[in-house]
Amino acid sequence: MAETSSRFIGRSIKPYKSKRFVTGDGTYVSDVCLPNMLHAALLRSMHAHARIGAIDVKEALAIDGVVGVWTGRDIEERISPFPESFEIHPLPWLEGVKPVLQGPRPTALAKGKVHYVGEAVAIVVAADRHRAEDAVDAIGIEYEPLPVVVDPEESLQPGATLVHDGSNNNVVFSFSIEKGNVNRALGAQPTMLRERFRHHRYCAAPLEGRGVVAWVEPKTHMLTVWSSTQMPHLVRRQIAAQLDLAEENVRVIAPDIGGGFGPKVFVYPEEILIPFLALQLGRPVKWIEDRSEHFISTAHGRDQLHDIECAFDQEGRILALRDRFLLDNGAYNPMGLTDAYNTAAHLQGPYKIPNLSVSGTCVSTNKVPNAPYRGAGRPEAVFVMERCIDMIATRLHLDPAEVRRRNFIQPQEMPYQAGILYRDGQPVCYDSGDYPETMNRALQGAGYTELRARQPELRRSGRYVGVGIACYVEGTGVGSFEGAKVRIDASGRVIITTGASSHGQGHETVFAQIAADLWGLTPEQVSVVEGDTASIPFGCGTFASRSTVTVGSAIHGASAQLKDKLLQVAAHMLEANPDDLELAGGRVSVRGLPQRAVSFSELARAAVPGWASKLPAGLAPGLEATFYFEPRTVTWANAVHVAVIEVDIEIGTIKLLDYVVAHDAGKLINPLLADGQVHGGVAQGIGAALYEELAYDENGQLLSGSFVNYLLPGSMEVPKIKIFHLESPSPLNPLGVKGLGEGGAIAPPAAIANALADALSPFAPRVNAIPLTPDLVLELLAQKEVRSEASAV
Amino acid sequence: MTTHCAIEMTVNDKRYTGLVEPRLSLADFLRDHLGLTGTHVGCEQGICGSCTILLNGETVRSCLLFAVQAHGATIVTIEGLAAKAKSGDRLHPIQQGFLETVGFQCGFCTPGFLMTTYEFLQENPSPSEEEIRERLTGNLCRCTGYQNIVAAVQWAAERLRAR
Amino acid sequence: MRRHGLDAKILAGGQSLVPLLNLRLTKPKILVDLNGVSGLDHIRETSAGLRIGAMTRQSGVERSAIVREKCPVLAEAIRHIGHLAIRHRGTIGGSLVHADPAAELPAVALALDAKFEVLGDGMARAVCADEFFIDYLTTSLRPDEILGEIIFPVLQPSSGYAVEEVARRHGDFAVAGVVAVVDLDGEGKIIGPRVALFGVAPTAVRARAVEQAMIGQQPGNELIRDAAALLRDMLDPPGDIRASSAYRKRAAAVLTVRALTKAVQLCHTRRLS
């Protein structure tokens, strides 16, 4: 196939087919309205840990309009349990890392005992949502409260309350990886950091929560399910498996999705229960998560505690790093090792770390399950490493940018073997990038040199302005696969079908740009179909900064196959040699003889079975090809963030004065949409650094379970974000692309924490935890007062 | 509990009547009874702003009003915004602005932002960036970091001033 | 209300009550909607002060020319409440009766010694602000009473005022806040200082010790700082997820300094103009 001409790839094309979003015509799950539809509501545990006693549903059933109530006992014979994890761990990784993995298998409704506040205990179906909730309130349930474990360190203690019956301890997953000889390197080195870092619990909080509508076609028994999910194919597989149905009788549609960001990446109880009820009742059933439910039933993220030792030389070069960390997994472990191992695999960042040891332990507590959220383990790693670098700089009285320069992997060292395995089982190998240059661009963009020069004067006038840098690398475009079906229909349009669905990323536009260049069309002549299991047999989903890499490459692969066939058909019709043909403007013509041509439409109408067929002998009908791209391993994007903040040291508030991102995600398909992804990620990272926190009390009650206390950043909290793109093409895929969906969210906690430590450097604060609340800032300042009082004595 | 009230209101220049339970929210009435699903419910607590509509010309949270309270009122929802454009334009300049600058990603919060912007630009046709940001604080967006939304409001303001 | 007693709740603007209903955190059997009741939505200047009907929308008060002229601190405080779409529905009386300790309006009412006209069974009674707010979300309104109107005194044209608060985000409920009003006599000495704090106690509170320390004094940084320092012995704020008790205490003192400084400055400016 001819080289792709870049007529559309690389251009900031505005999204196609998006008018619906400004006219109110988007269709989200909650907008799906079917005749005769019933509504479900769930009774959720108010206890963090309790044995379930008698459940009395009489009063609930007596409410006018209530159709039924189901408890764990009612479904246990009919809905099989969930797997302990949805993540498939590849064999080479299992053999290389030898993790301990022992998760419990959740049930769709709690049975025997509840393990966290919010766990589903019973489900009611009624004529409308109000009545369903009335009935939930009317269910009588006896609980025998059990001791609660909310602290992951306590959870590890001998004799700790066990979250799950039948387990020996609360560890659900642990592993260690090592390169070099950390013990020797740490022992030999006098200059050392010993620090404890905490990256707190927060969540994705998409503005649309989860929601499910299920409908059974009465004559064919075909089950159709609409779900606000990132993974329609996985949902279909799980419904079929847990309800014992044939996959071909289950269709899952992910319509417009009001934000995903990670937690919609696995299958939840409601995605099984609602189809189950629709099958039981023979009527459509709808359940829409409300915001309070969202906070106690949709997965949370992050929540890691790191103890590190880091040795470095007098020039600031890191010699060894040991990190032992805990991940507070909550009550279940839907995504296995994903977050924890991502943390380990990304800890080294863009730096040369000759000796490394990381051990991670995931523990159960009586909290909402923890699962990937934008960045998935990486923001935690970056927070640890980037704080270490700044601490080294402070110790050695060096500029933090200079310490980074001294530790960077150099562009001439690419591809760089980082000495550990990735979670796909392949060695971590940074494929391309110029890390020093990425930082230069970010520093220039922020006016770093000038800021440093002005800082002493600002401090003299009582202004505490700080600059923080954070660098990271990100493995993007992870497997195990994604597919694309490319088809040319009788109208001559190219139709791309894929299993990875969009929830705001702009797939329709990006994939159309790629296909347009491959086919010599305009993006308007390409249609993109996604979010429907009926349209392509296999699909992974949209997560882990992967769609452009995997779907883009699959479009490339499928197009190559289809073009080959198209040319054979055209050659037959034009009585020419396929090698003499060329594609342009939706036509195939003989090179040099543009009038000897046949249009895509004519070709599609020729490539049919039967009497109308004009196919050459031996060629199967249909202009269609499907290709599943299975990346050998990930591509490595990199970026540097610079945050400039000002601290009001009297009341501890932090104002972001400037935020700069230099970003390298390989070849960019659409810079405008790429910027949008970075913007959104940075805003979420700002939320994590300064505002958002899921705090629990000692009884396992969530203290910030609404938008009143869970503080998403608003338009005054997110400053103007400056973005600079670098493009180091990846050698690992035909388009040279890398992923970028998560990147923006990875660095802000580290950059802002570094900026705070810098702003307050006269007070030598230990900025080891986020969120950086006004309270915490005043505490950090008070530590200095205490320290100086102590030294005065 | 099950007494129903007859209500009537004008929504997007059309007169509607309904028979509703007193506890039905205005947002649910618009969405479930009138099929105007462009008004989105993101929190039911008046925080996120996705359900913002115009009630008698002023922005309100439709999740914090009962349908019965809107009896006799004149309402504009996102579905009615295009009709507020100059005749001949298929979209209102605010809608065009959000499309031009890509002031949306998943689209869930977008209707609320558009309604807030509509009221805002009537009051303040030449806002500064700071004023725009200040007014938009009542609407949460989780996708865009507000960057392109601010640009969309600026684009729309300029277009409206030019008319 | 007399018939249904505690089974019933009054619905004013609904911006605090309806979220609680939506979350099913409160489940009254009866809601009495005042939105259809006439005669509760007005702003009138009288010899007693500005009489504002309890159902007057906050945005209406904020934009009222007469409020801006005669009692500008009230308009200033309202600008800090939530967001415009909330203030379009939220009423001045609703906020006062809800008596959230972190809200601005109770503090303004306390600072200005506003009077509350309470309507009961065919009777009306007047309650002064310091007898109106009893405890957390609790006022001295009886179950069969509603608030009819609030009388805010008219400020002197030369009065300086300020509303200072710390909120986690723009438009959030304050973690701590201060309303300050001062005037200066012919010699530039402080007269009639008023300081009320919100977010730092179960109700909004008047900082009388701070006021006392300033009366008749020449304003200056040191005076203001020393006066605000008196709050240390006065406050024992609650701690919660938004801020610790210690933080609120510290912030209250800092904000008091800032508010008084601003108010004094404004006083100077207004006296010159």
Side-chain angles (χ1 to χ4, degrees):
Chain A
M1 154 173 211
E3 272 305 294
T4 312
S5 62
S6 284
R7 294 189 305 141
F8 296 100
I9 287 177
R11 280 174 53 190
S12 286
I13 291 171
K14 286 168 198 132
Y16 293 109
K17 297 179 194 162
S18 295
K19 203 180 114 194
R20 66 185 189 278
F21 293 131
V22 302
T23 55
D25 295 317
T27 304
Y28 302 84
V29 173
S30 58
D31 304 337
V32 174
C33 183
L34 302 170
N36 216 17
M37 190 161 73
L38 296 167
H39 297 263
L42 287 109
L43 172 68
R44 298 185 183 278
S45 172
M46 294 163 68
H47 293 272
H49 196 194
R51 213 156 286 289
I52 302 170
I55 303 180
D56 181 0
V57 302
K58 270 203 299 293
E59 204 183 311
L61 286 170
I63 292 172
D64 180 40
V66 171
V67 172
V69 181
W70 288 259
T71 67
R73 199 154 284 160
D74 301 321
I75 63 153
E76 69 182 324
E77 300 294 317
R78 295 187 270 184
I79 303 180
S80 51
F82 285 90
E84 60 187 37
S85 154
F86 290 96
E87 179 70 2
I88 299 159
H89 304 305
L91 203 58
W93 179 83
L94 289 169
E95 287 168 351
V97 175
K98 299 186 180 61
V100 176
L101 190 51
Q102 45 183 25
R105 295 184 65 183
T107 50
L109 292 170
K111 206 178 64 182
K113 70 176 193 174
V114 288
H115 309 83
Y116 61 96
V117 172
E119 186 167 6
V121 177
I123 188 164
V124 175
V125 178
D128 62 50
R129 177 69 180 241
H130 283 291
R131 278 165 185 72
E133 288 189 23
D134 291 343
V136 165
D137 285 352
I139 295 173
I141 179 160
E142 285 171 13
Y143 287 108
E144 178 201 330
L146 297 168
V148 173
V149 56
V150 291
D151 182 304
E153 288 188 281
E154 273 173 30
S155 169
L156 276 183
Q157 294 300 314
T161 298
L162 292 177
V163 174
H164 293 284
D165 289 344
S167 54
N168 299 321
N169 58 45
N170 285 323
V171 174
V172 287
F173 169 52
S174 63
F175 71 95
S176 297
I177 56 171
E178 176 141 7
K179 79 166 180 184
N181 188 329
V182 169
N183 274 338
R184 199 172 60 205
L186 288 175
Q189 201 54 37
T191 39
M192 183 103 98
L193 296 172
R194 276 199 185 81
E195 296 290 337
R196 164 165 271 211
F197 295 105
R198 183 183 290 277
H199 199 115
H200 66 303
R201 178 175 275 242
Y202 49 99
C203 65
L207 276 189
E208 182 205 30
R210 296 181 296 114
V212 188
V213 175
W215 171 62
V216 183
E217 209 286 318
K219 295 196 175 74
T220 61
H221 304 292
M222 177 82 191
L223 171 67
T224 303
V225 179
W226 290 261
S227 181
S228 183
T229 179
Q230 298 172 229
M231 314 283 280
H233 285 82
L234 178 65
V235 174
R236 178 182 64 171
R237 189 180 82 200
Q238 223 41 53
I239 291 170
Q242 290 184 252
L243 299 182
D244 196 20
L245 302 170
E247 271 195 29
E248 62 164 11
N249 291 333
V250 182
R251 176 184 180 191
V252 175
I253 297 170
D256 286 325
I257 303 295
F261 315 121
K264 297 179 183 175
V265 85
F266 63 95
V267 185
Y268 286 84
E270 298 84 356
E271 288 171 309
I272 308 299
L273 286 166
I274 301 301
F276 166 78
L277 294 169
L279 285 162
Q280 291 284 306
L281 299 168
R283 287 174 68 178
V285 181
K286 180 179 197 170
W287 166 76
I288 301 299
E289 182 184 63
D290 70 24
R291 188 55 58 185
S292 329
E293 287 184 285
H294 181 81
F295 279 110
I296 56 170
S297 73
T298 294
H300 295 170
R302 319 289 191 237
D303 211 352
Q304 296 187 4
L305 184 63
H306 291 251
D307 287 301
I308 67 102
E309 292 162 275
C310 177
F312 52 95
D313 68 15
Q314 290 307 309
E315 275 70 53
R317 280 185 206 96
I318 294 175
L319 303 171
L321 176 64
R322 174 186 289 147
D323 182 0
R324 298 186 182 94
F325 75 92
L326 282 184
L327 188 155
D328 180 341
N329 211 76
Y332 291 103
N333 184 29
M335 291 304 289
L337 62 101
T338 306
D339 284 351
Y341 196 79
N342 272 350
T343 300
H346 289 81
L347 189 63
Q348 299 179 93
Y351 309 115
K352 284 183 263 193
I353 315 279
N355 299 287
L356 174 78
S357 158
V358 189
S359 57
T361 307
C362 300
V363 298
S364 295
T365 55
N366 293 116
K367 296 183 192 163
V368 169
N370 190 335
Y373 162 41
R374 201 172 196 166
R378 299 171 183 93
E380 301 91 311
V382 170
F383 184 69
V384 168
M385 177 54 86
E386 294 299 306
R387 282 300 296 132
C388 282
I389 296 258
D390 270 36
M391 286 175 168
I392 292 169
T394 303
R395 286 270 197 97
L396 300 177
H397 305 290
L398 291 170
D399 186 297
E402 181 54 28
V403 175
R404 286 178 172 80
R405 276 188 205 104
R406 292 177 187 180
N407 284 283
F408 273 145
I409 294 157
Q410 297 301 309
Q412 62 273 18
E413 296 173 85
M414 294 290 166
Y416 179 85
Q417 293 286 348
I420 55 174
L421 284 185
Y422 200 64
R423 70 183 163 100
D424 56 13
Q426 297 299 311
V428 169
C429 177
Y430 301 159
D431 53 341
S432 64
D434 183 342
Y435 305 149
E437 182 54 21
T438 308
M439 189 171 76
N440 287 341
R441 294 282 286 276
L443 296 180
Q444 277 163 20
Y448 185 77
T449 317
E450 299 79 14
L451 277 167
R452 283 275 176 247
R454 277 180 59 211
Q455 227 171 359
E457 175 204 321
L458 287 167
R459 279 206 188 121
R460 277 194 298 276
S461 64
R463 290 186 59 189
Y464 290 83
V465 172
V467 194
I469 307 169
C471 308
Y472 68 85
V473 296
E474 183 196 358
T476 65
V478 72
S480 54
F481 75 90
E482 197 59 76
K485 182 168 79 183
V486 178
R487 184 163 73 89
I488 296 173
D489 74 357
S491 68
R493 298 180 62 80
V494 167
I495 299 148
I496 307 288
T497 307
T498 174
S501 60
S502 188
H503 15 97
Q505 293 88 346
H507 284 187
E508 285 167 331
T509 310
V510 169
F511 298 159
Q513 284 175 261
I514 293 170
D517 275 2
L518 290 168
W519 287 96
L521 298 171
T522 65
E524 290 88 346
Q525 292 170 301
V526 178
S527 299
V528 175
V529 178
E530 33 174 48
D532 186 348
T533 59
S535 64
I536 184 165
F538 303 103
C540 236
T542 296
F543 59 95
S545 308
R546 68 191 295 277
S547 296
T548 300
V549 178
T550 57
V551 181
S553 301
I555 293 170
H556 192 277
S559 295
Q561 289 176 9
L562 181 56
K563 204 178 279 185
D564 193 48
K565 182 171 186 182
L566 184 86
L567 292 178
Q568 287 186 57
V569 180
H572 181 69
M573 290 174 75
L574 296 169
E575 296 175 351
N577 187 323
D579 295 339
D580 297 336
L581 299 178
E582 63 184 9
L583 289 180
R587 296 156 65 84
V588 181
S589 58
V590 180
R591 200 170 286 116
L593 296 169
Q595 71 285 5
R596 254 183 83 194
V598 58
S599 71
F600 284 9
S601 169
E602 288 166 316
L603 286 162
R605 279 180 277 130
V608 293
W611 292 343
S613 174
K614 293 177 191 159
L615 285 166
L619 217 53
L623 289 182
E624 179 180 308
T626 301
F627 183 84
Y628 290 95
F629 181 69
E630 299 168 72
R632 188 172 55 83
T633 186
V634 290
T635 61
W636 286 87
N638 77 90
V640 177
H641 290 206
V642 179
V644 185
I645 67 165
E646 180 162 4
V647 187
D648 180 332
I649 64 159
E650 286 190 311
I651 52 173
T653 50
I654 293 173
K655 186 174 167 54
L656 279 160
L657 302 178
D658 202 5
Y659 203 96
V660 180
V661 178
H663 195 274
D664 186 346
K667 177 74 192 154
L668 286 183
I669 306 294
N670 186 325
L672 176 69
L673 296 181
D675 282 353
Q677 290 299 300
V678 176
H679 290 153
V682 168
Q684 292 184 359
I686 288 171
L690 298 175
Y691 306 108
E692 299 172 34
E693 180 174 19
L694 292 165
Y696 278 86
D697 72 8
E698 69 277 12
N699 298 316
Q701 296 288 339
L702 183 62
L703 298 173
S704 43
S706 80
F707 279 159
V708 175
N709 284 320
Y710 190 84
L711 309 176
L712 301 188
S715 50
M716 294 289 272
E717 282 73 48
V718 183
K720 199 171 225 166
I721 300 163
K722 294 182 202 146
I723 302 174
F724 301 91
H725 291 293
L726 294 89
E727 295 190 50
S728 307
S730 171
L732 300 182
N733 61 67
L735 299 168
V737 293
K738 302 179 181 184
L740 54 68
E742 296 170 284
I746 292 174
I752 295 170
N754 280 343
L756 178 66
D758 182 52
L760 302 185
S761 58
F763 304 90
R766 285 180 74 146
V767 185
N768 290 22
I770 48 172
L772 305 168
T773 61
D775 231 306
L776 179 71
V777 170
L778 291 194
E779 261 176 51
L780 290 169
L781 292 166
Q783 283 169 9
K784 163 74 176 184
E785 283 158 27
V786 172
R787 274 202 297 277
S788 53
E789 276 166 31
S791 59
V793 177
Chain B
M1 193 67 81
T2 46
T3 48
H4 284 67
C5 305
I7 54 171
E8 66 83 20
M9 62 185 82
T10 304
V11 184
N12 304 332
D13 298 326
K14 266 171 79 177
R15 204 170 149 272
Y16 290 93
T17 56
L19 200 59
V20 299
E21 282 190 54
R23 64 175 169 173
L24 186 76
S25 78
L26 180 57
D28 287 347
F29 179 69
L30 294 170
R31 291 176 47 78
D32 300 340
H33 291 234
L34 306 188
L36 298 169
T37 55
T39 297
H40 296 153
V41 178
C43 73
E44 297 176 80
Q45 273 190 285
I47 308 286
C48 77
S50 296
C51 69
T52 304
I53 59 160
L54 296 177
L55 177 84
N56 299 327
E58 290 183 332
T59 53
V60 296
R61 309 293 205 216
S62 60
C63 74
L64 297 187
L65 272 160
F66 295 103
V68 291
Q69 292 183 290
H71 176 61
T74 300
I75 286 170
V76 182
T77 69
I78 182 66
E79 289 90 345
L81 189 58
K84 303 283 170 195
K86 202 167 62 174
S87 62
D89 281 2
R90 303 237 308 280
L91 291 176
H92 192 276
I94 295 169
Q95 294 171 309
Q96 289 174 21
F98 275 73
L99 283 176
E100 283 297 320
T101 62
V102 201
F104 60 87
Q105 284 180 28
C106 80
F108 196 81
C109 70
T110 313
F113 274 95
L114 290 165
M115 302 317 286
T116 297
T117 304
Y118 180 78
E119 179 189 55
F120 176 53
L121 292 182
Q122 284 190 327
E123 274 170 33
N124 185 350
S126 306
S128 65
E129 183 186 331
E130 186 72 6
E131 287 170 328
I132 294 171
R133 285 180 172 274
E134 152 105 48
R135 177 58 69 89
L136 296 180
T137 55
N139 292 72
L140 293 174
C141 170
R142 195 55 162 165
C143 293
T144 65
Y146 308 97
Q147 309 292 302
N148 295 353
I149 295 179
V150 172
V153 178
Q154 287 167 330
W155 192 99
E158 203 170 298
R159 176 61 63 95
L160 284 164
R161 282 198 303 273
R163 299 207 312 200
Chain C
M1 292 307 292
R2 195 152 46 93
R3 179 145 40 99
H4 296 288
L6 294 174
D7 281 347
K9 277 232 179 251
I10 299 276
L11 175 63
Q15 304 300 287
S16 299
L17 177 58
V18 179
L20 297 176
L21 296 170
N22 284 348
L23 293 172
R24 294 188 174 232
L25 291 175
T26 178
K27 299 175 189 174
K29 290 206 172 74
I30 305 286
L31 269 189
V32 181
D33 185 3
L34 294 186
N35 288 278
V37 178
S38 59
L40 293 174
D41 176 2
H42 56 259
I43 303 171
R44 282 189 211 111
E45 191 185 0
T46 68
S47 56
L50 293 182
R51 301 184 79 100
I52 304 183
M55 286 299 287
T56 311
R57 308 287 167 190
Q58 290 155 6
S59 64
V61 179
E62 170 190 2
R63 289 167 174 184
S64 150
I66 194 165
V67 171
R68 287 176 167 204
E69 189 197 334
K70 305 288 181 180
C71 194
V73 65
L74 178 57
E76 171 69 15
I78 291 175
R79 270 194 287 279
H80 286 83
I81 302 175
H83 309 283
L84 186 63
I86 299 293
R87 304 198 291 271
H88 277 330
R89 288 302 295 175
T91 63
I92 194 134
S95 172
L96 289 166
V97 172
H98 187 53
D100 191 310
E104 290 82 359
L105 284 172
V108 177
L110 265 184
L112 300 182
D113 290 316
K115 296 277 185 302
F116 292 71
E117 287 279 328
V118 172
L119 307 175
D121 190 13
M123 309 230 303
R125 66 184 178 109
V127 180
C128 46
D130 55 4
E131 289 170 5
F132 189 76
F133 302 106
I134 305 288
D135 203 345
Y136 181 73
L137 304 182
T138 310
T139 69
S140 56
L141 274 186
R142 292 193 280 263
D144 60 349
E145 290 180 329
I146 64 165
L147 180 61
E149 60 181 14
I150 312 98
I151 307 155
F152 287 95
V154 170
L155 295 190
Q156 293 300 314
S158 61
S159 291
Y161 59 88
V163 179
E164 286 285 310
E165 64 178 52
V166 202
R168 290 291 305 279
R169 290 173 307 184
H170 189 92
D172 270 343
F173 261 115
V175 163
V178 184
V179 176
V181 181
V182 296
D183 219 333
L184 301 177
D185 66 13
E187 294 168 28
K189 288 183 178 152
I190 293 172
I191 49 175
R194 291 154 181 279
V195 178
L197 301 157
F198 50 104
V200 293
T203 65
V205 286
R206 189 80 178 260
R208 292 195 193 272
V210 177
E211 296 171 2
Q212 283 300 323
M214 305 205 2
I215 292 175
Q217 305 289 320
Q218 284 287 345
N221 293 344
E222 204 169 323
L223 175 80
I224 290 173
R225 222 176 22 246
D226 291 348
L230 297 170
L231 289 173
R232 235 172 251 178
D233 298 326
M234 206 187 111
L235 296 177
D236 182 17
D240 59 27
I241 178 152
R242 302 190 147 219
S244 65
S245 172
Y247 178 83
R248 285 194 160 92
K249 202 164 172 169
R250 162 100 186 235
V254 172
L255 294 170
T256 300
V257 171
R258 290 181 183 181
L260 283 168
T261 307
K262 233 182 186 175
V264 168
Q265 269 165 8
L266 184 60
C267 224
H268 284 305
T269 325
R270 296 182 91 189
R271 274 154 56 97
L272 288 175
S273 60

